[in-house]
């Protein structure tokens, strides 16, 4: 085991650890931001400004009774949250979060800051996102309860409907970059036009970016597309029969999916870790974090601002508006790329 | 050597999962096991330096077709099968169709054995990567697909169109409209 | 294979993390199953009927249409990567592909397979009035 391999393992471990923390931080951030938007404090009793609230929640959930309805299928009931979480973590594996670095000369070959540097990275993102459907649909089925099953079916139908627009928007970015490797897409966005406008793809693909963000919000079952989890209609949808940790794993998978969507959007549209000043000190990943944080804040902001879609409106929008828009965006982008011979 | 190990692990997983698919009584278990076997196949494709095929396998087969299977199993409310009984209705004891089916199965096994005996050594296939350019393999696929195989590609679009029309027609008839 | 190893490690870590959490909670949590707790939830009343009823065929249709367009998108990616080599003829080929598929898409749309509210079209026509009826 040489040093480089050890460093790579260390980076993978660090990414994994940060993802777990990210889901905890996001829970707290959501509650605080929600509170401030509703003109009240969020949690503030546990720890300074409520910062230890997620820890308290985890401890409480660990000690809660794990219920499983008698009629529920034992294997699938347990498998569903594991599938959701596994798909969420694996999706983030394809996202590089920093430039290649030699750690100030410690290593001979530069190692990339990110779990995996695949040359078909964008496709793998798409593939693992497709697999994320199974956790939800299995949860709905295995609970053997009407609310769960309907919630699970609706959630998965929604997710697969928006996946088409998601993938087509990604395909347009690949057109521009000419490569499926996420790292190459980010590197194609380095540099500036006219000296001060960064070459981010969001400027070349504004429609594509909007399509991607909308599809991403729908993919992660977040508001305004969170009808499958609507507390008013379906109790908790596919979550109804889950308690304690098995329940907590679903929102955790959801938050990690949110983080992945934001990270992918940052890498593919917002130039990843490129930005003024910080890159030359090897701190490009700070830019990455800031951009991801911005998108996550927008996620939370939208959730507590916009009313929820009705299910048929949701499906109509995905199939009849977003998908044709994504396809037209792709064709127009292709024509423009060929015309300008970029 | 580790390549061969990984190969045997993945193919063992694929064969085991596929065998279990047939042996399950609960159709949901069968679906999940089939997904596991597709995952193992994707691993094998990656080992063969065909990452695009591997990811396409996951995207289309494990991600779309199996979702369809899952929906159908759930919508049809497929019950658990009863345990097999060894009695007079067992296919091997029946004449005609039963024996014909058993003969076909035997023929399949013989063909597989023959094919396996004539296949190259495993380690050759896996380690002889040659000079396949993995970096641009997807580009090669794209180039080939739209130059040499263009007709097949366009014909596929007709196939997909037919499938779409067929799906709608089938579903509508069942709703009685 | 190095990139894929990282993906595999993350997958194993994810599965391990979830399994460990579930295991911990099974160990640490109290176990007092009562019949009320074990019954499926139905707003506080005893459940009526089995959950495994038949559901709408719309879900099957959505999955089927999704599958077909998924295949189309799988063709799209190699084309997108190779576009600069293929040039305008490549664009024409994919446009032909999309044209044929859009015939199918329009068929599916018109036949109402994408409608989730049964009377949506009729309701919209009523609301918009006779002059905008398609």
């Amino acid at each position: 085991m040489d040093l480089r391999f050890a460093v790579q393992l260390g980076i993978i471990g660090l990414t994994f650890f940060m993802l777990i923390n990210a889901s905890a931080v996001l829970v707290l951030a959501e509650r605080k931001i929600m509170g401030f938007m509703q003109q009240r404090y969020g949690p503030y009793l546990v720890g300074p400004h409520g910062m230890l609230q997620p820890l308290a929640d985890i401890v409480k959930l660990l000690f809660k009774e794990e219920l499983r309805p008698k009629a529920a299928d034992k294997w699938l009931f347990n498998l569903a949250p594991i599938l959701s979480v596994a798909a969420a973590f694996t999706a983030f594996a394809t996202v590089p979060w920093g430039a290649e670095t030699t750690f100030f000369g410690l290593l001979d070959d530069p190692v990339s800051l990110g779990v995996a540097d695949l040359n078909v990275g964008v496709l793998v993102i798409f593939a693992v996102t497709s697999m994320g459907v199974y956790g939800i649909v299995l949860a709905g089925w295995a609970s053997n309860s009407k609310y769960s099953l309907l919630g699970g079916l609706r959630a998965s139908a929604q997710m697969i409907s928006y996946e088409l627009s998601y993938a087509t928007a990604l395909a347009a970015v690949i057109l521009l970059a000419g490569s499926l490797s996420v790292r190459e897409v980010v590197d194609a966005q380095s540099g500036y036009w006219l000296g001060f406008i960064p070459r981010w793809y969001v400027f070349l693909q504004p429609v594509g970016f909007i399509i991607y963000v909308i599809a991403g919000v729908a993919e992660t079952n977040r508001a305004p597309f969170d009808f499958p989890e609507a507390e008013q209609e379906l109790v908790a949808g596919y979550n109804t029969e889950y308690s304690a940790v098995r329940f907590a794993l679903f929102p955790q998978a959801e938050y990690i999916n949110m983080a992945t969507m934001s990270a992918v959007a940052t890498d593919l549209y917002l130039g990843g870790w490129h930005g003024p000043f910080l890159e030359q000190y090897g701190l490009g990943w700070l830019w990455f974090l800031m951009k991801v944080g911005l998108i996550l804040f927008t996620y939370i902001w939208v959730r507590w601002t916009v009313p929820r879609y009705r299910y048929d409106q949701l499906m109509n929008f995905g199939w009849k508006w977003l998908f044709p828009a994504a396809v037209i965006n792709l064709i127009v982008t292709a024509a423009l790329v060929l015309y300008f011979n970029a | 050597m580790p390549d061969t190990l990984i190969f045997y692990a993945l193919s063992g997983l694929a064969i085991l999962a596929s065998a279990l698919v047939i042996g399950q009584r609960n159709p949901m278990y069968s679906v999940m096991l089939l997904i596991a076997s597709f995952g193992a196949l994707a691993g094998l494709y990656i080992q063969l330096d065909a990452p695009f095929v591997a990811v396409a396998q996951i995207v289309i087969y494990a991600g779309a077709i199996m979702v369809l299977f899952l929906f159908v199993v759930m919508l049809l409310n497929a019950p658990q099968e009863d345990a097999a009984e060894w009695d007079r209705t067992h296919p091997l004891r029946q004449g005609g169709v039963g024996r014909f089916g058993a003969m076909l199965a035997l023929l399949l096994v013989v063909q597989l054995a023959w094919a396996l005996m004539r296949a190259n050594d495993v380690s050759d296939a896996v380690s002889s990567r040659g000079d396949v350019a993995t970096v641009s393999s997807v580009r090669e696929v794209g180039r080939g697909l739209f130059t040499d195989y263009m007709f097949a590609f366009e014909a596929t679009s007709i196939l997909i169109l037919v499938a779409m029309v067929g799906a709608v027609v089938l579903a509508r008839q069942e709703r009685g409209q | 294979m190095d990139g894929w190893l990282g993906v595999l490690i993350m997958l194993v870590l994810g599965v391990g993390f979830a399994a460990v959490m579930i295991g911990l909670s099974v160990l640490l949590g109290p176990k007092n199953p009562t019949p009320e707790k074990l019954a499926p939830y139905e707003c506080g009343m005893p459940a009526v009927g089995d959950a495994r009823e038949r559901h709408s065929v719309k879900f099957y249709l959505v999955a089927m249409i999704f599958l077909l367009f998924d295949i189309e998108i799988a063709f799209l990616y190699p084309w997108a990567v190779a576009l600069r080599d293929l040039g305008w003829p490549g664009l024409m080929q994919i446009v032909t592909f999309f044209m044929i598929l859009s015939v199918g898409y329009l068929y599916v749309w018109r036949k109402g397979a994408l409608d989730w509210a049964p009377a949506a079209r009729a309701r919209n026509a009523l609301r918009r009035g006779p002059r905008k009826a398609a």
Side-chain angles (χ1 to χ4, degrees):
Chain A
M1 158 139 11
D2 58 335
L3 180 62
R4 188 157 188 273
F5 189 63
V7 168
Q8 272 176 329
L9 282 183
I11 292 178
I12 296 178
L14 176 68
T15 311
F16 179 71
F17 180 66
M18 293 306 288
L19 270 183
I20 298 179
N21 284 337
S23 57
V25 167
L26 272 173
V27 169
L28 179 66
E30 168 135 41
R31 290 171 70 176
K32 293 290 271 187
I33 295 176
M34 166 203 334
F36 284 126
M37 285 185 182
Q38 295 170 354
Q39 304 243 332
R40 57 179 175 88
Y41 295 113
Y44 69 97
L45 286 176
V46 185
H49 289 288
M51 278 200 278
L52 292 181
Q53 181 73 38
L55 191 60
D57 283 338
I58 300 277
V59 171
K60 175 202 85 170
L61 283 169
L62 272 178
F63 284 96
K64 247 184 147 168
E65 179 176 358
E66 280 279 350
L67 281 175
R68 180 171 61 86
K70 240 184 340 198
D73 184 309
K74 179 171 152 206
W75 291 104
L76 296 179
F77 192 77
N78 279 318
L79 182 63
I82 297 181
L83 264 185
S84 269
V85 168
F89 275 111
T90 312
F92 200 85
T94 56
V95 175
W97 44 268
E100 292 192 330
T101 170
T102 59
F103 285 109
F104 307 109
L106 184 66
L107 301 164
D108 302 321
D109 292 322
V111 76
S112 66
L113 280 181
V115 172
D117 197 8
L118 303 165
N119 49 9
V120 285
V122 180
L123 262 183
V124 177
I125 295 174
F126 180 32
V128 182
T129 314
S130 307
M131 298 299 291
V133 178
Y134 286 110
I136 293 181
V137 88
L138 274 184
W141 169 261
S143 308
N144 203 357
S145 141
K146 287 193 219 22
Y147 292 112
S148 308
L149 184 54
L150 200 53
L153 274 178
R154 277 178 167 171
S156 44
Q158 169 191 323
M159 283 173 81
I160 62 180
S161 306
Y162 281 87
E163 224 159 270
L164 296 172
S165 320
Y166 184 78
T168 315
L170 286 184
V173 169
I174 293 169
L175 259 181
L176 288 176
S179 160
L180 281 175
S181 157
V182 184
R183 181 167 294 279
E184 282 183 33
V185 174
V186 174
D187 286 335
Q189 297 177 63
S190 58
Y192 297 88
W193 294 304
L194 304 179
F196 66 96
I197 306 178
R199 281 180 191 274
W200 295 346
Y201 282 153
V202 68
F203 300 119
L204 291 177
Q205 281 267 298
V207 177
F209 179 63
I210 295 176
I211 293 176
Y212 175 82
V213 169
I214 295 177
V217 171
E219 274 288 311
T220 48
N221 281 334
R222 292 278 300 181
F225 299 102
D226 64 348
F227 189 83
E229 300 171 355
E231 288 94 2
Q232 293 82 1
E233 278 92 3
L234 283 174
V235 189
Y238 60 89
N239 269 334
T240 313
E241 300 295 342
Y242 280 87
S243 49
V245 162
R246 288 196 203 101
F247 163 75
L249 287 176
F250 282 113
Q252 178 174 40
E254 184 176 307
Y255 282 119
I256 295 181
N257 274 330
M258 267 171 67
T260 306
M261 296 293 163
S262 311
V264 170
T266 305
D267 269 349
L268 295 182
Y269 288 99
L270 294 182
W273 52 84
H274 293 301
F277 306 125
L278 287 175
E279 271 189 273
Q280 58 221 52
Y281 305 113
L283 290 177
W285 49 270
L286 270 182
W287 276 121
F288 180 82
L289 284 179
M290 282 193 266
K291 293 174 192 173
V292 170
L294 188 65
I295 301 184
L296 283 173
F297 175 74
T298 313
Y299 254 106
I300 299 176
W301 185 11
V302 166
R303 177 177 182 182
W304 296 105
T305 310
V306 175
R308 178 180 292 132
Y309 262 126
R310 213 174 55 220
Y311 190 68
D312 62 301
Q313 291 173 330
L314 196 159
M315 297 294 275
N316 264 341
F317 180 66
W319 281 103
K320 299 187 184 178
W321 289 96
L322 207 62
F323 183 53
V327 168
I328 294 176
N329 171 55
L330 178 70
I331 305 278
V332 168
T333 307
L336 287 176
V337 161
L338 284 176
Y339 183 70
F340 288 110
N341 226 348
Chain B
M1 190 49 212
D3 279 343
T4 321
L5 208 60
I6 297 176
F7 168 77
Y8 278 119
L10 283 173
S11 38
L13 176 63
I15 295 176
L16 180 68
S18 310
L20 285 177
V21 164
I22 313 173
Q24 289 299 315
R25 278 189 266 157
N26 188 340
M28 289 295 271
Y29 291 166
S30 298
V31 169
M32 299 312 293
L33 283 166
L34 195 55
I35 295 174
S37 104
F38 288 146
L41 280 180
L44 285 173
Y45 285 133
I46 292 174
Q47 238 199 340
L48 288 171
D49 265 346
F52 176 68
V53 183
V55 180
Q57 164 99 353
I58 299 285
V59 166
I60 297 179
Y61 229 132
I65 297 183
M66 295 318 290
V67 168
L68 182 65
F69 273 38
L70 211 62
F71 275 25
V72 169
V73 165
M74 284 172 23
L75 291 176
L76 286 182
N77 200 11
Q80 287 220 9
E81 294 177 3
D82 297 325
E85 294 170 14
W86 180 266
D87 61 2
R88 249 172 268 118
T89 61
H90 197 277
L92 275 182
R93 294 186 177 205
Q94 277 179 333
V97 171
R99 292 214 179 96
F100 184 62
M103 260 178 28
L104 277 183
L106 190 61
L107 187 61
L108 180 64
V109 168
V110 165
Q111 281 179 329
L112 274 176
W114 177 83
L116 283 174
M117 281 193 298
R118 304 227 344 182
N120 290 328
D121 192 358
V122 161
S123 39
D124 278 348
V126 166
S127 55
S128 65
R129 306 253 176 95
D131 47 3
V132 173
T134 58
V135 175
S136 55
S137 70
V138 185
R139 184 167 292 152
E140 299 295 326
V141 169
R143 264 207 287 251
L145 191 59
F146 290 88
T147 47
D148 300 326
Y149 299 100
M150 181 185 74
F151 177 70
F153 169 69
E154 300 289 348
T156 311
S157 70
I158 310 261
L159 201 60
I160 299 177
L161 171 65
V162 169
M164 253 191 260
V165 172
V168 172
V169 165
L170 276 177
R172 277 176 41 122
Q173 276 182 351
E174 285 180 12
R175 278 189 300 185
Q177 286 182 6
Chain C
M1 274 275 286
D2 49 350
W4 296 102
L5 184 64
V7 176
L8 182 65
I9 293 178
M10 276 300 256
L11 179 65
V12 168
L13 280 178
V15 171
F17 172 75
V20 162
M21 290 291 277
I22 293 182
L24 266 184
S25 128
V26 166
L27 279 175
L28 294 174
K31 285 179 194 38
N32 296 319
T34 67
E36 288 82 18
K37 279 201 258 186
L38 291 177
Y41 182 72
E42 193 153 336
C43 288
M45 39 177 260
V48 173
D50 187 31
R52 315 275 206 234
E53 308 164 346
R54 309 281 287 262
H55 290 273
S56 166
V57 76
K58 283 200 177 76
F59 290 109
Y60 162 78
L61 263 184
V62 164
M64 190 72 191
I65 309 285
F66 161 69
L67 166 63
L68 295 167
F69 281 105
D70 207 35
I71 298 176
E72 168 186 347
I73 290 175
F75 277 120
L76 216 56
Y77 276 80
W79 169 79
V81 174
L83 177 68
R84 286 181 174 83
D85 301 326
L86 297 171
W88 289 101
L91 181 64
M92 284 306 123
Q93 283 163 13
I94 209 76
V95 167
T96 318
F97 186 69
F98 269 111
M99 283 294 138
I100 299 179
L101 281 181
S102 63
V103 170
Y105 178 71
L106 280 172
Y107 175 80
V108 167
W109 187 329
R110 293 282 300 184
K111 286 298 177 185
L114 299 176
D115 288 335
W116 281 76
R121 243 188 303 173
R123 242 196 352 252
N124 283 338
L126 272 178
R127 200 173 59 215
R128 266 179 276 161
R131 57 185 167 91
K132 278 220 192 140

